[in-house]
Amino acid sequence: MKVTLISHTPYPEKIVASAAKLCYSDTGLDTMLEGLDDEKAAGFVEMLASIGHESPIEHVSFTFGIEGVSRTLLAQITRHRIASFSVQSQRYVKKSNFVYITPPEISCDKEAKDIFEKSMNDSLESYNRLADILEKRHYESFISQGMDEKSARSKAEKKAIEDARFVLPNACETKMAVTMNARSLINFFKLRCCSRAQWEIKAVADEMLRLCSEAAPSIFKNAGPSCVREGKCPEGKMTCGKFSEVTEFYRLMKNNQKKTF
C-alpha cells in the first residue's frame, strides 16, 4: 500500500479562517486575508471546532494518490460519496499478470496462503484463457465486417477484456486518485480510523490522516476515530476496549511519532 498527498488547497488554514472571518465580522472579500498570520488562522480554526461550525472547512480540499490496494478497498472507499475518484479501469487495462493483495491473516498462515495463491493463479489462468477466446472471436467478426487488421486487433482486445474481467478477484490490485474536502475527510477518518474498520481501509485512512495532519495541523487537530473526537467510544458493547491505546496512537501520530496498538 502506498498513499501520497498529491496536492491540497494552498494555505488551507488561512483559507478556512478567512471564510470564517467573512461569516463573523464586517469584512469584505478584498480584506479577508488581512492580518491572518499562522497563529490567528489556527485560532479561528480551533474556534470553529469548539462551536461545531464545520462548513468553512469545506473550502479546502486534498488530493491523494492511492496504490497497492485491492478492489475490496475500492468498494468501501467509494461509499464516501462527497468525494471525487479516478480509478484504473479493468475494462481498458489488461490484467494478463495482475498483482493481488494478500490479507495479513492469510499471509501468516501457510495453509491459508497456499489456498489463496492457488485461487489467484486459477483466476489469472481463467482470465487469460477467456480473454484469448473472446479476442479471437471478436477479431474474426470485425475482419468479416471489413475492418482493417490493426483496428480489429485493438478493438477485439478491448471488447474481450471487458467480459474477461468478471473472473478477477476482489484481491486484484488497483490504484486511484481521490479528492475530498476537509469536512468530508474528517467524517471519513471518524468512520475508517476506528479499530473496528476493515484492516485495509483503516491503514489507508491512518496514512491519509497522518499526511493531512502534517499539511494542516489545526484543521485535523481533533480528527480521528469517534473516540478521539468525542472523548469516549460510541460503539457500546461492540467497543474494541482499547480507548487509551487508540487515543495515544493518534496523539503520537500527530506529533510525528509512531506507536502501534
Side-chain angles (χ1 to χ4, degrees):
M1 181 198 78
K2 182 179 180 181
V3 179
T4 305
L5 180 56
I6 298 173
S7 67
H8 60 77
T9 304
Y11 314 110
E13 294 176 342
K14 287 186 178 180
I15 295 299
V16 171
S18 67
K21 185 178 177 183
L22 189 66
C23 292
Y24 294 107
S25 64
D26 184 16
T27 187
L29 296 176
D30 55 341
T31 59
M32 285 171 59
L33 289 169
E34 282 186 6
L36 273 179
D37 56 23
D38 291 343
E39 184 178 351
K40 288 183 179 178
F44 260 110
V45 172
E46 290 180 13
M47 179 271 291
L48 293 172
S50 69
I51 63 175
H53 187 183
E54 297 183 334
S55 62
I57 66 175
E58 294 178 15
H59 293 293
V60 299
S61 62
F62 296 76
T63 297
F64 302 87
I66 302 174
E67 56 186 316
V69 293
S70 69
R71 303 289 289 197
T72 297
L73 180 283
L74 175 64
Q76 295 182 85
I77 199 169
T78 50
R79 292 173 184 162
H80 296 269
R81 290 179 290 276
I82 306 179
S84 300
F85 301 94
S86 297
V87 182
Q88 186 179 74
S89 173
Q90 290 182 341
R91 183 182 183 191
Y92 295 104
V93 180
K94 191 170 184 179
K95 293 291 185 180
S96 56
N97 190 25
F98 71 84
V99 176
Y100 55 86
I101 310 304
T102 305
E105 291 297 324
I106 291 177
S107 184
C108 69
D109 185 297
K110 185 180 184 308
E111 183 180 9
K113 186 178 180 182
D114 288 344
I115 294 171
F116 183 80
E117 289 180 348
K118 182 181 184 303
S119 177
M120 296 301 103
N121 290 331
D122 289 347
S123 293
L124 177 59
E125 182 180 352
S126 297
Y127 173 81
N128 285 328
R129 288 179 62 193
L130 282 169
D132 289 344
I133 291 168
L134 295 172
E135 183 176 347
K136 182 176 183 296
R137 180 156 59 83
H138 293 320
Y139 173 77
E140 292 171 350
S141 176
F142 292 141
I143 288 294
S144 71
Q145 295 171 29
M147 190 176 293
D148 67 88
E149 185 176 334
K150 182 178 179 181
S151 297
R153 186 74 66 192
S154 175
K155 190 172 182 179
E157 180 184 77
K158 288 183 173 61
K159 193 170 178 62
I161 64 175
E162 180 176 318
D163 290 331
R165 64 180 167 155
F166 275 70
V167 299
L168 291 175
N170 277 335
C172 191
E173 186 263 356
T174 192
K175 45 185 69 74
M176 67 193 79
V178 179
T179 300
M180 295 188 195
N181 69 51
R183 189 178 190 180
S184 293
L185 277 167
I186 287 173
N187 179 66
F188 174 73
F189 297 144
K190 176 182 175 181
L191 299 172
R192 301 301 187 172
C193 289
C194 176
S195 62
R196 295 189 62 241
Q198 186 261 353
W199 66 268
E200 190 177 24
I201 198 167
K202 173 172 168 48
V204 168
D206 282 346
E207 183 60 10
M208 289 169 66
L209 175 54
R210 187 188 69 78
L211 293 168
C212 285
S213 295
E214 288 182 353
S218 294
I219 293 175
F220 296 98
K221 179 180 179 180
N222 298 315
S226 294
C227 57
V228 170
R229 287 184 56 77
E230 299 168 13
K232 60 180 181 179
C233 178
E235 296 290 330
K237 66 180 182 180
M238 302 298 287
T239 181
C240 70
K242 297 180 179 179
F243 173 76
S244 297
E245 295 96 321
V246 171
T247 53
E248 178 67 359
F249 173 82
Y250 288 101
R251 185 189 71 79
L252 292 174
M253 171 200 283
K254 293 171 187 179
N255 286 287
N256 294 314
Q257 298 172 298
K258 290 187 177 180
K259 182 182 174 69
T260 59
F261 66 89

